[in-house]
Amino acid sequence: MRGSVLVMAKAPVAGRAKTRLAAVVGDAVAADLAAAALLDTLEAAAEAYPEGRRVLALAGDLAEAAREQEVRAAAAHWLVVPQSGADFAARLVDGHRQAHRLAGGPVLQVGMDTPQVTGALLREVAALAHDGRRPVLGPALDGGWWVLVTTHPDQADALAAVPTSRPDTGSLTAKALAAAGHPSLAAPALRDVDEVEDAHAVAAEAPTTRFAQLWRDHAGLPAHREERG
């Protein structure tokens, strides 16, 4: 796979991770769910990109994180860098620049809120950017976005002025890229896991993920049964 993958992640620490889910399942379980989602994401990205082309931009301290040893083991074959910037938009810009410098472009960036993502889908999105020679933006159902591929580090600069965590963040990001001379192609839409209904939907969509298995354990859902021929 040409280029590299960038995962922007926050250490899954109780009381700081998945706070909206924590209102239902508690802080410790919410942190465990965040860790499971991160592990699912790292696994999918590792299926699509080889060692040396994987960058994990991490905020927070893994020493306090749920599933600390599992996360450290999964990240052992990644280039791990600290997130840097005054706000999340600035950290996104810095993350893309670091990934371009350390691992090469195009850089496909995802977060840890889409544990249903697969290596095949990431390869599809990366191919779209490669063939179109343009950035690719994947909308999230809540109005944000779940994936951004930059084909040049300067493209990420357009993110600096875009407000995050808003229902129009996705459309504003697309407009900012276009205004900077980098109109984006559209990737398939995915659902971010923020609310309880998101967790239910994603667990149903990708029932064999770590996230889905843990969500079923704590949300009173029936266990997934594999279909056998």
Side-chain angles (χ1 to χ4, degrees):
M1 172 63 68
R2 184 172 176 269
S4 58
V5 63
L6 166 66
V7 174
M8 299 286 294
K10 179 169 65 174
V13 176
R16 302 176 197 168
K18 294 293 172 202
T19 53
R20 279 173 275 186
L21 295 185
V24 176
V25 297
D27 288 346
V29 173
D32 206 14
L33 287 163
L38 174 56
L39 289 166
D40 288 329
T41 304
L42 293 177
E43 181 176 76
E47 290 175 5
Y49 289 86
E51 285 187 51
R53 295 194 173 274
R54 309 172 194 158
V55 179
L56 172 60
L58 187 66
D61 188 353
L62 284 181
E64 303 175 355
R67 303 198 187 195
E68 175 195 356
Q69 295 306 315
E70 288 181 70
V71 173
R72 288 190 187 279
H77 303 292
W78 287 64
L79 301 168
V80 181
V81 298
Q83 291 187 19
S84 177
D87 55 24
F88 187 60
R91 293 195 292 273
L92 284 171
V93 174
D94 180 72
H96 276 265
R97 287 197 167 278
Q98 290 200 71
H100 275 277
R101 177 174 57 84
L102 294 171
V107 170
L108 182 152
Q109 178 249 312
V110 295
M112 53 189 283
D113 293 332
T114 52
Q116 74 274 37
V117 75
T118 64
L121 178 56
L122 296 180
R123 287 190 291 270
E124 176 186 327
V125 173
L128 184 62
H130 177 265
D131 295 343
R133 299 181 182 276
R134 288 162 57 185
V136 174
L137 189 67
L141 298 187
D142 63 2
W145 52 269
W146 70 272
V147 66
L148 172 65
V149 186
T150 54
T151 58
H152 188 280
D154 288 349
Q155 293 167 359
D157 292 347
L159 303 176
V162 177
T164 57
S165 301
R166 283 179 25 168
D168 58 353
T169 292
S171 62
L172 291 175
T173 302
K175 290 176 182 177
L177 286 166
H182 310 293
S184 58
L185 300 168
L190 285 188
R191 180 189 290 268
D192 280 344
V193 176
D194 292 314
E195 307 287 352
V196 169
E197 56 267 29
D198 300 324
H200 281 312
V202 167
E205 178 184 347
T208 61
T209 58
R210 296 171 183 82
F211 178 87
Q213 293 165 4
L214 184 61
W215 181 250
R216 285 193 297 272
D217 289 345
H218 292 280
L221 300 179
H224 171 70
R225 294 183 180 179
E226 296 282 357
E227 295 292 333
R228 299 182 182 273

